[in-house]
């Protein structure tokens, strides 16, 4: 897996509890980091749908910051597979 945060970190072998795994499949669906991410998104959904564009950007950044604040990373597999 490789970190998709723009920092160029590659070769992540061990997943942290709050890592968000990009992709589809059971691993991404059930991983605690993805569950936490979906919870943050669900909690922001109503206000996001009704606010202006610049506020939407702030909400998105706040969700990312919340995951990173839990030492979570946004990861994608290097081999391109989904799970």
């Amino acid at each position: 897996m490789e970190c998709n945060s723009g920092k160029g970190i590659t070769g992540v072998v061990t997943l942290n509890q709050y890592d968000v795994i990009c992709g589809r499949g059971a691993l991404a669906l059930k991983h605690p980091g993805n569950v936490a991410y979906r919870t943050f998104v669900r909690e922001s959904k109503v206000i996001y749908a009704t606010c202006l564009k610049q506020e939407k950007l702030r909400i998105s950044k706040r969700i990312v910051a919340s995951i990173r604040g839990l030492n979570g990373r946004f990861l994608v597999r290097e081999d391109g597979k989904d799970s």
Side-chain angles (χ1 to χ4, degrees):
M1 294 198 157
E2 119 183 343
C3 183
N4 195 16
S5 68
K7 295 181 182 175
I9 300 170
T10 60
V12 174
V13 178
T14 305
L15 295 175
N16 296 329
Q17 180 178 359
Y18 290 107
D19 286 343
V20 176
I21 303 163
C22 300
R24 299 166 47 174
L27 179 62
L29 183 66
K30 295 179 181 180
H31 192 271
N34 290 55
V35 173
Y37 173 76
R38 288 194 307 272
T39 300
F40 289 134
V41 169
R42 190 177 319 109
E43 290 171 351
S44 303
K45 199 174 193 177
V46 172
I47 191 145
Y48 185 89
T50 61
C51 67
L52 298 173
K53 187 175 181 177
Q54 71 183 58
E55 184 62 25
K56 288 181 180 189
L57 181 59
R58 283 190 206 113
I59 291 169
S60 299
K61 287 183 176 185
R62 188 170 54 235
I63 292 169
V64 171
S66 296
I67 292 296
R68 290 192 174 148
L70 297 169
N71 293 320
R73 301 166 292 179
F74 290 83
L75 304 173
V76 62
R77 286 184 67 141
E78 287 180 330
D79 60 10
K81 294 183 180 177
D82 285 336
S83 61

